[in-house]
Amino acid sequence: MFNIKKISPNMAAMLAVCFSLTVLSSDLAHAVDTTSSNATTVPPATELLIPDSEAWAIHWQATNITQKHSDFIAPYSGTNSLNPHGGMEETTDTTLFLGLRLWSGAEVWLNPEVDQGFGFDNTLGVAGFPSGGAYKIGANTPYLRFPKLFVRQIIALDGTNEAIAAAPNQLAGSQTSNNVTLTVGKFSVVDIFDTNSYAHDPRADFLNWSIFEAGSYDYAADPWGFTFGAAAEWNQDWWTLRAGFFQLSSEPNGKITRINFGENSTNLEVEARHQWLGHPGKIKLLTWINQGRMASYQDAVALGQATNSTPDVALVRRYSSRAGVALNMEQEISSDIGAFARLSANRGDKETYEFSDINQSISAGLSIKGGTWARENDTIGIAVVMNRISGDAQKYFTAGGLGLLIGDGNLNYAPEKIVEMFYSMQFSSTATASVDYQYIANPAYNQDRGPVSVYSLRLHANF
């Protein structure tokens, strides 16, 4: 399935360093475990908790995703099409999580990251893109970025005192169950909004963009998925209210090089927590509105017809707004099985600004832990998703228009339907490997092209 000759020397070097560090960190963890007589019975997430809060912390992760897709039928292709003759790509990212406690309840985090690699066809050709490790910008050689620099302040209210485990971007300590949490700086909107216990982290669970996020959620982000902004969370016993204000790119899918809230996104989410037959669950309702210079599909098509040319959204942009909504549900069924579902939609009259060319999306799936086959830390994931675009968008792409991720030069419309399955195997407390399969029918909403199968191998290490 995978050809080792296609792995670049730079990527190979990065992987060698990553897994050398993994072995070292695993040995250190083993040394810690053996100093305690009850180390095997203490959960890993809490075994290093101490009564006093952590003053600082360093965490690290590295992830490589190698993907290959099958050949498929395609009578025509456009600028943003998936190559019908198959292809193989890989992405590697390694991140440091550097945290420092500023004062009581406040911490600052910096995440330097080195990235390398591409998604299929420079991350084009499928609205529900199959690699969560792929950005809209790539490079053959490793390059350094600083995607996150933010301050978090937790303001205690009342309720019980709860232990907080050490984790990337989270210092160990404690906090009251009822609190207000403020986050300011540069980070990812989906660090806070649209989270889900079973489908949210492409380094650990599902890889498809429209499964680990709500497909229609056009959240503020640069081409790597990060932006400047602020969020506030009011946490009470069984509910949370979140609000956030973030910077959009100066133009759709553009880089963010300085702080400027002329183009912006306002987000509001309500979360309700409950118990069902003794098992926890959550329901979240998210709304957002983006404001910036964006084009109407109708205006682009009309100008194309008037000038006898291919419609181009860049020629008809003006300051406007676009709103959307998402329903996000998760439910533990048993200690080993969890279920999730998302439904999302946005106004389909205007172009997508940041995320993907999806106007309506519905996804659902299961996450199954390996306790029943004596592999407690292994996970099986199964999910399905169906993505749609509006009638205005269909006319635009049929006339040859290009979106953020799609554009075949023509369109014989049908909903994009995707099935994803993965098995994640944990080799140690610091290393996992996953195999993943995705079946994509009507890629880019085009029933003249496909279906296509995507095969993936994911290697992940952390400490």
Side-chain angles (χ1 to χ4, degrees):
M1 184 185 301
F2 297 105
N3 184 352
I4 194 69
K5 294 180 180 179
K6 295 201 175 213
I7 297 179
S8 69
N10 289 310
M11 188 274 284
M14 289 179 70
L15 286 178
V17 172
C18 293
F19 283 95
S20 295
L21 288 171
T22 300
V23 171
L24 175 60
S25 63
S26 181
D27 290 342
L28 291 173
H30 178 71
V32 172
D33 288 346
T34 56
T35 63
S36 173
S37 60
N38 65 348
T40 57
T41 62
V42 179
T46 59
E47 65 183 8
L48 299 180
L49 279 179
I50 55 177
D52 297 329
S53 300
E54 278 187 306
W56 59 273
I58 299 176
H59 298 270
W60 167 87
Q61 78 81 34
T63 305
N64 174 264
I65 299 171
T66 304
Q67 292 192 315
K68 178 177 176 59
H69 74 75
S70 64
D71 293 349
F72 60 91
I73 297 172
Y76 52 86
S77 296
T79 302
N80 286 4
S81 291
L82 189 67
N83 188 334
H85 302 299
M88 186 175 186
E89 294 289 353
E90 59 82 19
T91 57
T92 302
D93 64 85
T94 182
T95 314
L96 279 176
F97 306 88
L98 309 175
L100 176 67
R101 190 170 298 282
L102 301 176
W103 52 79
S104 179
E107 51 198 71
V108 59
W109 286 91
L110 173 66
N111 293 178
E113 181 170 298
V114 175
D115 297 319
Q116 178 268 332
F118 296 88
F120 294 133
D121 299 291
N122 296 325
T123 316
L124 297 171
V126 186
F129 198 76
S131 176
Y135 301 118
K136 294 171 184 172
I137 290 179
N140 284 317
T141 56
Y143 58 98
L144 176 66
R145 298 186 304 112
F146 293 88
K148 295 184 184 181
L149 174 59
F150 65 90
V151 175
R152 180 190 299 117
Q153 172 73 63
I154 299 176
I155 303 171
L157 297 178
D158 56 18
T160 59
N161 204 42
E162 300 178 337
I164 303 300
N169 290 332
Q170 180 176 282
L171 292 176
S174 63
Q175 67 182 37
T176 56
S177 56
N178 297 335
N179 60 76
V180 172
T181 301
L182 306 175
T183 306
V184 180
K186 185 181 181 183
F187 53 97
S188 177
V189 174
V190 292
D191 289 343
I192 296 174
F193 295 87
D194 193 42
T195 63
N196 190 291
S197 300
Y198 306 113
H200 189 62
D201 184 1
R203 292 168 176 165
D205 50 66
F206 295 94
L207 289 172
N208 192 278
W209 288 22
S210 57
I211 294 177
F212 66 74
E213 301 296 351
S216 303
Y217 185 19
D218 195 14
Y219 61 91
D222 64 9
W224 293 276
F226 304 91
T227 190
F228 296 101
E233 303 172 80
W234 181 15
N235 300 294
Q236 288 294 299
D237 296 326
W238 61 270
W239 58 267
T240 296
L241 177 64
R242 299 182 181 90
F245 186 71
F246 303 99
Q247 178 178 338
L248 291 174
S249 307
S250 58
E251 61 181 29
N253 200 34
K255 293 182 180 181
I256 296 176
T257 57
R258 61 187 179 90
I259 299 176
N260 181 355
F261 288 93
E263 285 76 30
N264 57 76
S265 177
T266 302
N267 296 246
L268 182 67
E269 184 177 62
V270 179
E271 173 185 320
R273 296 175 287 277
H274 63 269
Q275 294 282 326
W276 177 74
L277 300 179
H279 296 284
K282 299 177 183 178
I283 300 176
K284 302 180 183 183
L285 181 63
L286 167 68
T287 62
W288 72 92
I289 182 167
N290 293 343
Q291 299 183 97
R293 293 187 66 253
M294 59 186 72
S296 159
Y297 286 127
Q298 288 186 353
D299 289 348
V301 171
L303 179 61
Q305 291 173 342
T307 58
N308 195 29
S309 62
T310 301
D312 184 351
V313 288
L315 301 177
V316 293
R317 287 177 181 145
R318 58 185 178 85
Y319 202 86
S320 186
S321 64
R322 184 168 178 258
V325 62
L327 182 65
N328 179 346
M329 298 167 284
E330 62 177 79
Q331 179 63 56
E332 182 182 276
I333 298 173
S334 71
S335 59
D336 284 337
I337 302 175
F340 69 92
R342 285 186 175 98
L343 296 86
S344 61
N346 58 52
R347 285 175 54 189
D349 59 332
K350 297 182 180 68
E351 65 177 314
T352 297
Y353 208 96
E354 307 281 35
F355 185 47
S356 186
D357 304 289
I358 303 172
N359 298 133
Q360 301 95 36
S361 180
I362 179 170
S363 64
L366 294 173
S367 177
I368 305 168
K369 288 292 185 182
T372 56
W373 59 93
R375 295 285 304 178
E376 291 82 2
N377 295 316
D378 289 3
T379 305
I380 291 176
I382 305 170
V384 295
V385 61
M386 181 169 66
N387 301 318
R388 296 177 178 270
I389 53 174
S390 67
D392 286 349
Q394 292 175 40
K395 293 175 183 177
Y396 172 76
F397 289 112
T398 300
L402 300 178
L404 294 188
L405 269 67
I406 67 171
D408 293 329
N410 195 2
L411 181 64
N412 183 9
Y413 178 76
E416 190 178 77
K417 300 177 182 179
I418 302 169
V419 178
E420 180 175 2
M421 299 177 285
F422 73 86
Y423 187 97
S424 177
M425 177 180 293
Q426 185 171 38
F427 291 101
S428 71
S429 61
T430 59
T432 61
S434 307
V435 290
D436 184 286
Y437 172 73
Q438 296 175 60
Y439 177 86
I440 304 173
N442 310 319
Y445 311 104
N446 200 337
Q447 57 187 323
D448 286 343
R449 297 168 51 84
V452 59
S453 291
V454 179
Y455 308 91
S456 307
L457 173 65
R458 174 179 57 200
L459 304 175
H460 176 73
N462 67 86
F463 68 79

